[in-house]
Amino acid sequence: MNTTAAFSASIEACLHYSRMPWGRLFYLTAWDQIDPFLTGGAQSILDIGSGFGISSNEYSRQGHTVTGVEPTPEMVAIAAKNGPDVRYINDSFEQAAGGLGTFGWSFCHNILEYTEDPQRFLGMIAGCQQAGGYLSLIAHNPAAKVMKKAILNKDPDSALAAIGSSQEYSGIIKTDITVYSYEQLAEWLSSAGYELKGHFGIHNLYGYITDNEVKQDEDWHNRMVQLELAVGRQSPYRDIAVFTHIIARKI
């Protein structure tokens, strides 16, 4: 799986997503769920698969010391231009991990889906994590894969076939991805030496709204943000969210 080439070929699509209301909502929600745990002054943060540096640059502006690792050179160039105080490394995390040192915080946002061995990948993250430090892990939710096929695509046959399958296709990156349940992620995190501190959803209800025109209305968007922030902290909404967000603490 040449994911770097896939990301390089999808730069414009990824940029477009990040600038649209749904992309802005993704980051705003993630940060809102991270920030109650990110206390005690300036932290050292490792952003794995930092992409365009949206999270890296945001937390750097807040005074944290941030290192971003990203294998796609076009993304690194954009990130570095907008975040001169972030240390960006143009390499895969697997290659760079041994020389990174340890960090108080690690971000792994929508990266695990593209890795060959996710359990080993989480173990490598743990190796870069200080004791008592935190990991923010975001991954596609398998339940949403079924929900979207049934609700958005109106395709019950595909939805039925998708139940229990871990395989999915990313329409933005245009490559196959593998999705993992909350229970599987929790098991791997425990094995890597983490304890779960928070379980959230991102795009809990928003991801099932097909009217993109209303999403451009700023007033509607702001009200929807408040709803998303409220439901993303509780079941059953987080259980059907497009993205699962876990905050875990290294023991």
Side-chain angles (χ1 to χ4, degrees):
M1 181 192 302
N2 190 346
T3 55
T4 301
F7 275 93
S8 293
S10 62
I11 292 295
E12 290 304 319
C14 291
L15 267 176
H16 177 75
Y17 180 93
S18 70
R19 292 166 177 166
M20 288 295 100
W22 37 93
R24 291 189 286 117
L25 176 62
F26 173 89
Y27 286 102
L28 188 153
T29 306
W31 299 339
D32 184 80
Q33 292 166 355
I34 288 169
D35 287 351
F37 299 90
L38 208 164
T39 59
Q43 302 283 326
S44 59
I45 299 175
L46 173 64
D47 190 0
I48 301 162
S50 48
F52 298 119
I54 296 173
S55 288
S56 290
N57 296 342
E58 170 65 22
Y59 282 96
S60 174
R61 284 189 288 269
Q62 294 181 20
H64 303 286
T65 302
V66 185
T67 296
V69 180
E70 171 56 54
T72 309
E74 297 91 340
M75 289 184 166
V76 172
I78 294 170
K81 180 180 178 180
N82 295 320
D85 295 327
V86 177
R87 177 194 177 203
Y88 282 108
I89 300 172
N90 183 201
D91 202 350
S92 70
F93 174 65
E94 293 92 335
Q95 291 287 336
L100 291 173
T102 58
F103 297 80
W105 269 84
S106 297
F107 297 165
C108 181
H109 296 168
N110 294 340
I111 301 301
L112 212 60
E113 296 89 331
Y114 302 93
T115 63
E116 297 292 344
D117 187 341
Q119 187 170 10
R120 177 175 176 270
F121 196 85
L122 288 175
M124 294 178 73
I125 295 176
C128 296
Q129 192 86 63
Q130 296 169 5
Y134 286 83
L135 166 64
S136 169
L137 176 66
I138 299 177
H140 286 75
N141 180 8
K145 173 168 61 82
V146 177
M147 299 277 290
K148 286 193 291 184
K149 291 180 187 302
I151 297 171
L152 303 184
N153 300 343
K154 300 178 180 64
D155 187 349
D157 296 330
S158 293
L160 183 61
I163 296 175
S165 170
S166 63
Q167 298 305 300
E168 182 59 301
Y169 182 77
S170 170
I172 297 177
I173 311 301
K174 300 197 182 307
T175 189
D176 294 324
I177 63 174
T178 306
V179 294
Y180 307 101
S181 68
Y182 169 78
E183 291 76 17
Q184 181 68 83
L185 295 172
E187 180 183 328
W188 287 339
L189 286 168
S190 178
S191 296
Y194 287 95
E195 59 177 352
L196 272 58
K197 305 300 287 187
H199 173 203
F200 310 97
I202 298 177
H203 284 199
N204 306 272
L205 304 174
Y206 188 99
Y208 303 110
I209 298 172
T210 58
D211 185 354
N212 285 341
E213 185 175 344
V214 72
K215 294 176 182 178
Q216 302 291 343
D217 182 285
E218 198 66 23
D219 177 66
W220 183 91
H221 175 79
N222 291 335
R223 288 184 286 124
M224 195 66 195
V225 166
Q226 296 308 309
L227 175 61
E228 281 287 307
L229 295 182
V231 301
R233 287 173 158 79
Q234 55 187 298
S235 294
Y237 312 104
R238 64 187 177 187
D239 305 317
I240 60 167
V242 174
F243 304 100
T244 296
H245 187 192
I246 297 173
I247 302 293
R249 180 176 178 272
K250 181 73 180 301
I251 300 172

